[in-house]
Amino acid sequence: MKTNTNNFKKEVYSLMSIRFDSVSFTYGETVIFKDLSFCFEQGTTYVLLGESGIGKSTLLSLIKGLQRPQSGTTTYQGCSPDNIEVVFQELHLFPWQTVYQALEMPLLINQTPSESRKKRVTSCLAELGLTQVQDRYPHQLSGGQKQRTAMGRGLITQPDVLLLDEPTASLDQETKANAQALIAAQQQRWQNGLIVVTHDPEEAVFLGQTILLLKDQGVTPISNPFYGSQQERDSLAFYEVVLQLKEQMREARQ
């Protein structure tokens, strides 16, 4: 894999994947996943869709390697858990760090040389529309600016896979739509692996190339016919798919 720092875009030269084979995971007596088998492939956007408590965040932890399955195997091809980044719902922005410092921190930890560090942070700020607020602290930022800062901190190390846990849950409707458009645009630009957790069927249809509906202690893959469409939310058929997903989520609760 080679990185083009001029336009801050990852070019993929080798096939990368994360494969689950017969993975089972429990919390106490509660079975979350049983014999889960699925392959997450490079360059594809997956959305994990389901109600609260069904195991979406647990699956992110298994993908990242923060938790281990009780049985089954997880295989990383062309990537490693160390190069998978997670942006949590709480964002975890430090109040004493400016936007610039928040983006720079992962590069400092990785001991990236000073000149390269400056170029990458400057480029990432421009990509995410944060240049004008780079010297502000979290309490001086809007909700959308905080979300973009957290996303930039995840992207700055140019990860193999980016995991977003409920990235728009705390945003108002307008800011939420803008954040979703930003996520979609960055995926098109980077072509890295992207896995998004949500409980919102509309967000799932807007963002997901493949929607993974969590049900029956596993996942049901759903190919999204609206992925990549520019005007999908103007289509009645778009909302018909949303309604179908809502119905499937209700059935999964029963």
Side-chain angles (χ1 to χ4, degrees), residues 72-223:
T73 59
T74 306
T75 305
Y76 300 88
Q77 177 179 323
C79 64
S80 74
D82 292 338
N83 206 27
I84 297 174
E85 294 293 340
V86 187
V87 177
F88 294 101
Q89 183 178 349
E90 296 80 7
L91 301 183
H92 300 304
L93 297 178
F94 296 119
W96 59 85
Q97 283 187 331
T98 64
V99 172
Y100 188 101
Q101 290 168 337
L103 267 62
E104 185 183 36
M105 181 180 65
L107 300 179
L108 287 169
I109 293 172
N110 289 350
Q111 299 182 331
T112 304
S114 175
E115 189 61 31
S116 176
R117 193 169 68 237
K118 181 178 179 180
K119 288 181 179 179
R120 288 169 64 176
V121 172
T122 300
S123 180
C124 190
L125 288 167
E127 288 275 359
L128 299 178
L130 292 169
T131 303
Q132 299 303 316
V133 298
Q134 64 178 328
D135 295 324
R136 294 184 186 178
Y137 294 91
H139 73 276
Q140 299 172 309
L141 303 174
S142 67
Q145 289 167 340
K146 291 178 183 177
Q147 181 62 48
R148 279 181 280 157
T149 300
M151 187 172 172
R153 191 178 57 188
L155 287 170
I156 195 74
T157 57
Q158 301 163 337
D160 295 327
V161 182
L162 181 66
L163 311 178
L164 302 179
D165 190 2
E166 300 274 7
T168 68
S170 61
L171 303 178
D172 61 72
Q173 195 60 39
E174 181 178 358
T175 306
K176 181 175 184 176
N178 291 337
Q180 289 169 349
L182 174 68
I183 292 168
Q186 289 301 307
Q187 168 59 6
Q188 290 296 314
R189 187 183 300 271
W190 281 61
Q191 293 294 306
N192 62 339
L194 178 63
I195 303 173
V196 181
V197 161
T198 186
H199 62 270
D200 180 355
E202 183 176 337
E203 180 166 82
V205 179
F206 183 80
L207 287 177
Q209 185 173 356
T210 297
I211 299 168
L212 299 179
L213 180 65
L214 275 70
K215 58 184 295 188
D216 302 327
Q217 301 169 351
V219 298
T220 299
I222 301 169
S223 182

